[in-house]
PDB file of all heavy atoms in Angstrom:
ATOM      1  N   LYS A 236       0.832  -1.211   0.000  1.00 85.00           N
ATOM      2  CA  LYS A 236       0.000   0.000   0.000  1.00 85.00           C
ATOM      3  C   LYS A 236       0.867   1.261   0.000  1.00 85.00           C
ATOM      4  O   LYS A 236       0.691   2.153  -0.820  1.00 85.00           O
ATOM      5  CB  LYS A 236      -0.931   0.007   1.206  1.00 85.00           C
ATOM      6  CG  LYS A 236      -1.828   1.213   1.259  1.00 85.00           C
ATOM      7  CD  LYS A 236      -2.723   1.185   2.484  1.00 85.00           C
ATOM      8  CE  LYS A 236      -3.556   2.453   2.486  1.00 85.00           C
ATOM      9  NZ  LYS A 236      -4.148   2.733   3.742  1.00 85.00           N
ATOM     10  N   LYS A 237       1.830   1.309   0.907  1.00 87.00           N
ATOM     11  CA  LYS A 237       2.687   2.495   1.010  1.00 87.00           C
ATOM     12  C   LYS A 237       3.527   2.668  -0.242  1.00 87.00           C
ATOM     13  O   LYS A 237       3.691   3.770  -0.754  1.00 87.00           O
ATOM     14  CB  LYS A 237       3.573   2.403   2.250  1.00 87.00           C
ATOM     15  CG  LYS A 237       4.336   3.662   2.517  1.00 87.00           C
ATOM     16  CD  LYS A 237       4.844   3.713   3.928  1.00 87.00           C
ATOM     17  CE  LYS A 237       5.489   5.061   4.151  1.00 87.00           C
ATOM     18  NZ  LYS A 237       5.329   5.576   5.463  1.00 87.00           N
ATOM     19  N   TYR A 238       4.069   1.577  -0.757  1.00 86.00           N
ATOM     20  CA  TYR A 238       4.902   1.637  -1.964  1.00 86.00           C
ATOM     21  C   TYR A 238       4.107   2.164  -3.156  1.00 86.00           C
ATOM     22  O   TYR A 238       4.568   3.038  -3.882  1.00 86.00           O
ATOM     23  CB  TYR A 238       5.478   0.256  -2.271  1.00 86.00           C
ATOM     24  CG  TYR A 238       6.340   0.229  -3.500  1.00 86.00           C
ATOM     25  CD1 TYR A 238       7.671   0.619  -3.439  1.00 86.00           C
ATOM     26  CD2 TYR A 238       5.836  -0.178  -4.727  1.00 86.00           C
ATOM     27  CE1 TYR A 238       8.472   0.605  -4.562  1.00 86.00           C
ATOM     28  CE2 TYR A 238       6.626  -0.195  -5.854  1.00 86.00           C
ATOM     29  CZ  TYR A 238       7.943   0.199  -5.767  1.00 86.00           C
ATOM     30  OH  TYR A 238       8.730   0.188  -6.897  1.00 86.00           O
ATOM     31  N   LEU A 239       2.910   1.643  -3.355  1.00 85.00           N
ATOM     32  CA  LEU A 239       2.105   2.055  -4.507  1.00 85.00           C
ATOM     33  C   LEU A 239       1.554   3.471  -4.371  1.00 85.00           C
ATOM     34  O   LEU A 239       1.349   4.157  -5.367  1.00 85.00           O
ATOM     35  CB  LEU A 239       0.969   1.064  -4.745  1.00 85.00           C
ATOM     36  CG  LEU A 239       1.397  -0.329  -5.195  1.00 85.00           C
ATOM     37  CD1 LEU A 239       0.189  -1.238  -5.333  1.00 85.00           C
ATOM     38  CD2 LEU A 239       2.188  -0.279  -6.493  1.00 85.00           C
ATOM     39  N   GLU A 240       1.333   3.915  -3.148  1.00 86.00           N
ATOM     40  CA  GLU A 240       0.798   5.262  -2.949  1.00 86.00           C
ATOM     41  C   GLU A 240       1.868   6.340  -2.935  1.00 86.00           C
ATOM     42  O   GLU A 240       1.587   7.490  -3.239  1.00 86.00           O
ATOM     43  CB  GLU A 240       0.019   5.327  -1.630  1.00 86.00           C
ATOM     44  CG  GLU A 240      -1.296   4.604  -1.676  1.00 86.00           C
ATOM     45  CD  GLU A 240      -2.028   4.644  -0.341  1.00 86.00           C
ATOM     46  OE1 GLU A 240      -1.452   5.108   0.663  1.00 86.00           O
ATOM     47  OE2 GLU A 240      -3.183   4.189  -0.314  1.00 86.00           O
ATOM     48  N   PHE A 241       3.091   5.990  -2.576  1.00 84.00           N
ATOM     49  CA  PHE A 241       4.127   7.000  -2.365  1.00 84.00           C
ATOM     50  C   PHE A 241       4.484   7.763  -3.634  1.00 84.00           C
ATOM     51  O   PHE A 241       4.444   8.979  -3.670  1.00 84.00           O
ATOM     52  CB  PHE A 241       5.393   6.373  -1.781  1.00 84.00           C
ATOM     53  CG  PHE A 241       6.494   7.376  -1.554  1.00 84.00           C
ATOM     54  CD1 PHE A 241       6.436   8.249  -0.488  1.00 84.00           C
ATOM     55  CD2 PHE A 241       7.572   7.456  -2.423  1.00 84.00           C
ATOM     56  CE1 PHE A 241       7.431   9.180  -0.265  1.00 84.00           C
ATOM     57  CE2 PHE A 241       8.570   8.385  -2.213  1.00 84.00           C
ATOM     58  CZ  PHE A 241       8.503   9.247  -1.137  1.00 84.00           C
ATOM     59  N   ASN A 242       4.853   7.044  -4.652  1.00 74.00           N
ATOM     60  CA  ASN A 242       5.319   7.695  -5.876  1.00 74.00           C
ATOM     61  C   ASN A 242       4.461   7.229  -7.032  1.00 74.00           C
ATOM     62  O   ASN A 242       4.788   6.285  -7.728  1.00 74.00           O
ATOM     63  CB  ASN A 242       6.798   7.373  -6.104  1.00 74.00           C
ATOM     64  CG  ASN A 242       7.405   8.196  -7.194  1.00 74.00           C
ATOM     65  OD1 ASN A 242       6.708   8.836  -7.973  1.00 74.00           O
ATOM     66  ND2 ASN A 242       8.707   8.187  -7.272  1.00 74.00           N
ATOM     67  N   ARG A 243       3.406   7.921  -7.254  1.00 78.00           N
ATOM     68  CA  ARG A 243       2.428   7.503  -8.270  1.00 78.00           C
ATOM     69  C   ARG A 243       2.973   7.574  -9.690  1.00 78.00           C
ATOM     70  O   ARG A 243       2.456   6.948 -10.584  1.00 78.00           O
ATOM     71  CB  ARG A 243       1.160   8.318  -8.134  1.00 78.00           C
ATOM     72  CG  ARG A 243       0.457   8.085  -6.814  1.00 78.00           C
ATOM     73  CD  ARG A 243      -0.856   8.832  -6.741  1.00 78.00           C
ATOM     74  NE  ARG A 243      -1.434   8.746  -5.420  1.00 78.00           N
ATOM     75  CZ  ARG A 243      -2.210   7.743  -5.012  1.00 78.00           C
ATOM     76  NH1 ARG A 243      -2.491   6.769  -5.814  1.00 78.00           N
ATOM     77  NH2 ARG A 243      -2.687   7.747  -3.791  1.00 78.00           N
ATOM     78  N   GLY A 244       4.038   8.328  -9.912  1.00 76.00           N
ATOM     79  CA  GLY A 244       4.611   8.451 -11.246  1.00 76.00           C
ATOM     80  C   GLY A 244       5.717   7.454 -11.532  1.00 76.00           C
ATOM     81  O   GLY A 244       6.290   7.459 -12.610  1.00 76.00           O
ATOM     82  N   LEU A 245       6.025   6.592 -10.582  1.00 76.00           N
ATOM     83  CA  LEU A 245       7.125   5.651 -10.722  1.00 76.00           C
ATOM     84  C   LEU A 245       6.783   4.558 -11.743  1.00 76.00           C
ATOM     85  O   LEU A 245       5.716   3.956 -11.694  1.00 76.00           O
ATOM     86  CB  LEU A 245       7.415   5.002  -9.367  1.00 76.00           C
ATOM     87  CG  LEU A 245       8.533   3.976  -9.303  1.00 76.00           C
ATOM     88  CD1 LEU A 245       9.878   4.654  -9.520  1.00 76.00           C
ATOM     89  CD2 LEU A 245       8.524   3.272  -7.968  1.00 76.00           C
ATOM     90  N   HIS A 246       7.702   4.314 -12.669  1.00 81.00           N
ATOM     91  CA  HIS A 246       7.550   3.189 -13.596  1.00 81.00           C
ATOM     92  C   HIS A 246       8.219   1.985 -12.964  1.00 81.00           C
ATOM     93  O   HIS A 246       9.379   2.046 -12.579  1.00 81.00           O
ATOM     94  CB  HIS A 246       8.189   3.502 -14.951  1.00 81.00           C
ATOM     95  CG  HIS A 246       7.422   4.504 -15.723  1.00 81.00           C
ATOM     96  ND1 HIS A 246       6.243   4.210 -16.368  1.00 81.00           N
ATOM     97  CD2 HIS A 246       7.637   5.818 -15.933  1.00 81.00           C
ATOM     98  CE1 HIS A 246       5.775   5.294 -16.949  1.00 81.00           C
ATOM     99  NE2 HIS A 246       6.609   6.294 -16.691  1.00 81.00           N
ATOM    100  N   MET A 247       7.492   0.913 -12.862  1.00 87.00           N
ATOM    101  CA  MET A 247       7.988  -0.276 -12.170  1.00 87.00           C
ATOM    102  C   MET A 247       8.636  -1.249 -13.147  1.00 87.00           C
ATOM    103  O   MET A 247       8.074  -1.524 -14.200  1.00 87.00           O
ATOM    104  CB  MET A 247       6.830  -0.976 -11.470  1.00 87.00           C
ATOM    105  CG  MET A 247       6.163  -0.141 -10.407  1.00 87.00           C
ATOM    106  SD  MET A 247       4.721  -0.963  -9.699  1.00 87.00           S
ATOM    107  CE  MET A 247       5.514  -2.289  -8.805  1.00 87.00           C
ATOM    108  N   GLN A 248       9.792  -1.767 -12.777  1.00 90.00           N
ATOM    109  CA  GLN A 248      10.419  -2.798 -13.588  1.00 90.00           C
ATOM    110  C   GLN A 248       9.876  -4.177 -13.231  1.00 90.00           C
ATOM    111  O   GLN A 248       9.688  -5.008 -14.102  1.00 90.00           O
ATOM    112  CB  GLN A 248      11.932  -2.768 -13.418  1.00 90.00           C
ATOM    113  CG  GLN A 248      12.581  -1.600 -14.104  1.00 90.00           C
ATOM    114  CD  GLN A 248      14.086  -1.645 -13.985  1.00 90.00           C
ATOM    115  OE1 GLN A 248      14.672  -2.582 -13.449  1.00 90.00           O
ATOM    116  NE2 GLN A 248      14.733  -0.618 -14.491  1.00 90.00           N
ATOM    117  N   TYR A 249       9.635  -4.405 -11.934  1.00 91.00           N
ATOM    118  CA  TYR A 249       9.133  -5.716 -11.536  1.00 91.00           C
ATOM    119  C   TYR A 249       8.182  -5.594 -10.348  1.00 91.00           C
ATOM    120  O   TYR A 249       8.265  -4.664  -9.555  1.00 91.00           O
ATOM    121  CB  TYR A 249      10.279  -6.675 -11.198  1.00 91.00           C
ATOM    122  CG  TYR A 249      11.183  -6.192 -10.086  1.00 91.00           C
ATOM    123  CD1 TYR A 249      10.914  -6.514  -8.772  1.00 91.00           C
ATOM    124  CD2 TYR A 249      12.305  -5.420 -10.360  1.00 91.00           C
ATOM    125  CE1 TYR A 249      11.732  -6.060  -7.742  1.00 91.00           C
ATOM    126  CE2 TYR A 249      13.133  -4.967  -9.348  1.00 91.00           C
ATOM    127  CZ  TYR A 249      12.840  -5.292  -8.038  1.00 91.00           C
ATOM    128  OH  TYR A 249      13.647  -4.838  -7.032  1.00 91.00           O
ATOM    129  N   PHE A 250       7.285  -6.548 -10.284  1.00 90.00           N
ATOM    130  CA  PHE A 250       6.345  -6.656  -9.166  1.00 90.00           C
ATOM    131  C   PHE A 250       6.113  -8.139  -8.948  1.00 90.00           C
ATOM    132  O   PHE A 250       5.605  -8.835  -9.833  1.00 90.00           O
ATOM    133  CB  PHE A 250       5.037  -5.931  -9.493  1.00 90.00           C
ATOM    134  CG  PHE A 250       4.080  -5.829  -8.331  1.00 90.00           C
ATOM    135  CD1 PHE A 250       4.463  -5.275  -7.128  1.00 90.00           C
ATOM    136  CD2 PHE A 250       2.776  -6.276  -8.459  1.00 90.00           C
ATOM    137  CE1 PHE A 250       3.578  -5.169  -6.060  1.00 90.00           C
ATOM    138  CE2 PHE A 250       1.877  -6.169  -7.406  1.00 90.00           C
ATOM    139  CZ  PHE A 250       2.284  -5.617  -6.204  1.00 90.00           C
ATOM    140  N   LYS A 251       6.550  -8.649  -7.786  1.00 88.00           N
ATOM    141  CA  LYS A 251       6.460 -10.070  -7.482  1.00 88.00           C
ATOM    142  C   LYS A 251       5.698 -10.243  -6.180  1.00 88.00           C
ATOM    143  O   LYS A 251       6.106  -9.696  -5.149  1.00 88.00           O
ATOM    144  CB  LYS A 251       7.861 -10.674  -7.339  1.00 88.00           C
ATOM    145  CG  LYS A 251       8.699 -10.538  -8.598  1.00 88.00           C
ATOM    146  CD  LYS A 251      10.091 -11.070  -8.381  1.00 88.00           C
ATOM    147  CE  LYS A 251      10.926 -10.884  -9.622  1.00 88.00           C
ATOM    148  NZ  LYS A 251      12.273 -11.448  -9.445  1.00 88.00           N
ATOM    149  N   VAL A 252       4.603 -10.993  -6.226  1.00 83.00           N
ATOM    150  CA  VAL A 252       3.783 -11.184  -5.030  1.00 83.00           C
ATOM    151  C   VAL A 252       3.298 -12.616  -4.926  1.00 83.00           C
ATOM    152  O   VAL A 252       3.145 -13.314  -5.917  1.00 83.00           O
ATOM    153  CB  VAL A 252       2.554 -10.235  -5.010  1.00 83.00           C
ATOM    154  CG1 VAL A 252       2.980  -8.807  -4.809  1.00 83.00           C
ATOM    155  CG2 VAL A 252       1.721 -10.371  -6.256  1.00 83.00           C
ATOM    156  N   TYR A 253       3.061 -13.034  -3.690  1.00 78.00           N
ATOM    157  CA  TYR A 253       2.435 -14.320  -3.397  1.00 78.00           C
ATOM    158  C   TYR A 253       1.325 -14.063  -2.391  1.00 78.00           C
ATOM    159  O   TYR A 253       1.552 -13.422  -1.363  1.00 78.00           O
ATOM    160  CB  TYR A 253       3.434 -15.315  -2.790  1.00 78.00           C
ATOM    161  CG  TYR A 253       2.743 -16.550  -2.281  1.00 78.00           C
ATOM    162  CD1 TYR A 253       2.426 -17.581  -3.148  1.00 78.00           C
ATOM    163  CD2 TYR A 253       2.350 -16.663  -0.949  1.00 78.00           C
ATOM    164  CE1 TYR A 253       1.745 -18.702  -2.692  1.00 78.00           C
ATOM    165  CE2 TYR A 253       1.684 -17.775  -0.487  1.00 78.00           C
ATOM    166  CZ  TYR A 253       1.373 -18.786  -1.363  1.00 78.00           C
ATOM    167  OH  TYR A 253       0.698 -19.882  -0.925  1.00 78.00           O
ATOM    168  N   TYR A 254       0.126 -14.549  -2.685  1.00 74.00           N
ATOM    169  CA  TYR A 254      -0.993 -14.392  -1.761  1.00 74.00           C
ATOM    170  C   TYR A 254      -1.876 -15.616  -1.797  1.00 74.00           C
ATOM    171  O   TYR A 254      -1.903 -16.351  -2.773  1.00 74.00           O
ATOM    172  CB  TYR A 254      -1.808 -13.141  -2.084  1.00 74.00           C
ATOM    173  CG  TYR A 254      -1.118 -11.901  -1.597  1.00 74.00           C
ATOM    174  CD1 TYR A 254      -0.390 -11.114  -2.459  1.00 74.00           C
ATOM    175  CD2 TYR A 254      -1.154 -11.545  -0.255  1.00 74.00           C
ATOM    176  CE1 TYR A 254       0.279  -9.990  -2.002  1.00 74.00           C
ATOM    177  CE2 TYR A 254      -0.494 -10.432   0.209  1.00 74.00           C
ATOM    178  CZ  TYR A 254       0.227  -9.655  -0.670  1.00 74.00           C
ATOM    179  OH  TYR A 254       0.891  -8.562  -0.211  1.00 74.00           O
ATOM    180  N   ASP A 255      -2.648 -15.783  -0.712  1.00 66.00           N
ATOM    181  CA  ASP A 255      -3.545 -16.930  -0.622  1.00 66.00           C
ATOM    182  C   ASP A 255      -4.852 -16.653  -1.364  1.00 66.00           C
ATOM    183  O   ASP A 255      -5.073 -15.572  -1.892  1.00 66.00           O
ATOM    184  CB  ASP A 255      -3.799 -17.331   0.830  1.00 66.00           C
ATOM    185  CG  ASP A 255      -4.598 -16.293   1.606  1.00 66.00           C
ATOM    186  OD1 ASP A 255      -5.107 -15.325   1.000  1.00 66.00           O
ATOM    187  OD2 ASP A 255      -4.715 -16.443   2.827  1.00 66.00           O
ATOM    188  N   ASP A 256      -5.713 -17.650  -1.390  1.00 58.00           N
ATOM    189  CA  ASP A 256      -6.971 -17.560  -2.136  1.00 58.00           C
ATOM    190  C   ASP A 256      -7.850 -16.397  -1.691  1.00 58.00           C
ATOM    191  O   ASP A 256      -8.429 -15.699  -2.520  1.00 58.00           O
ATOM    192  CB  ASP A 256      -7.776 -18.857  -1.993  1.00 58.00           C
ATOM    193  CG  ASP A 256      -7.057 -20.037  -2.625  1.00 58.00           C
ATOM    194  OD1 ASP A 256      -6.138 -19.803  -3.431  1.00 58.00           O
ATOM    195  OD2 ASP A 256      -7.405 -21.176  -2.294  1.00 58.00           O
ATOM    196  N   ASP A 257      -7.963 -16.190  -0.401  1.00 59.00           N
ATOM    197  CA  ASP A 257      -8.831 -15.127   0.103  1.00 59.00           C
ATOM    198  C   ASP A 257      -8.339 -13.748  -0.334  1.00 59.00           C
ATOM    199  O   ASP A 257      -9.127 -12.870  -0.665  1.00 59.00           O
ATOM    200  CB  ASP A 257      -8.931 -15.178   1.630  1.00 59.00           C
ATOM    201  CG  ASP A 257      -9.631 -16.439   2.104  1.00 59.00           C
ATOM    202  OD1 ASP A 257     -10.452 -16.983   1.336  1.00 59.00           O
ATOM    203  OD2 ASP A 257      -9.355 -16.881   3.227  1.00 59.00           O
ATOM    204  N   THR A 258      -7.048 -13.542  -0.342  1.00 58.00           N
ATOM    205  CA  THR A 258      -6.486 -12.256  -0.739  1.00 58.00           C
ATOM    206  C   THR A 258      -6.692 -12.024  -2.225  1.00 58.00           C
ATOM    207  O   THR A 258      -6.978 -10.911  -2.657  1.00 58.00           O
ATOM    208  CB  THR A 258      -4.982 -12.189  -0.394  1.00 58.00           C
ATOM    209  OG1 THR A 258      -4.824 -12.506   0.982  1.00 58.00           O
ATOM    210  CG2 THR A 258      -4.423 -10.812  -0.660  1.00 58.00           C
ATOM    211  N   VAL A 259      -6.521 -13.058  -3.039  1.00 53.00           N
ATOM    212  CA  VAL A 259      -6.688 -12.922  -4.485  1.00 53.00           C
ATOM    213  C   VAL A 259      -8.098 -12.456  -4.831  1.00 53.00           C
ATOM    214  O   VAL A 259      -8.292 -11.686  -5.762  1.00 53.00           O
ATOM    215  CB  VAL A 259      -6.370 -14.257  -5.199  1.00 53.00           C
ATOM    216  CG1 VAL A 259      -6.798 -14.219  -6.651  1.00 53.00           C
ATOM    217  CG2 VAL A 259      -4.893 -14.562  -5.088  1.00 53.00           C
TER     218      VAL A 259
END
């Protein structure tokens, strides 16, 4: 949340996440 909200103009090279069924 903080990362995505902090710099809204940032171009991301990578985004790697793991979450369970409920989160998805």
Side-chain angles (χ1 to χ4, degrees):
K236 181 181 178 197
K237 188 162 185 146
Y238 180 82
L239 293 177
E240 288 178 352
F241 180 76
N242 190 346
R243 296 184 188 274
L245 180 68
H246 289 285
M247 298 176 69
Q248 287 183 4
Y249 59 90
F250 188 55
K251 300 177 182 182
V252 291
Y253 171 83
Y254 283 100
D255 68 9
D256 295 343
D257 294 333
T258 307
V259 169

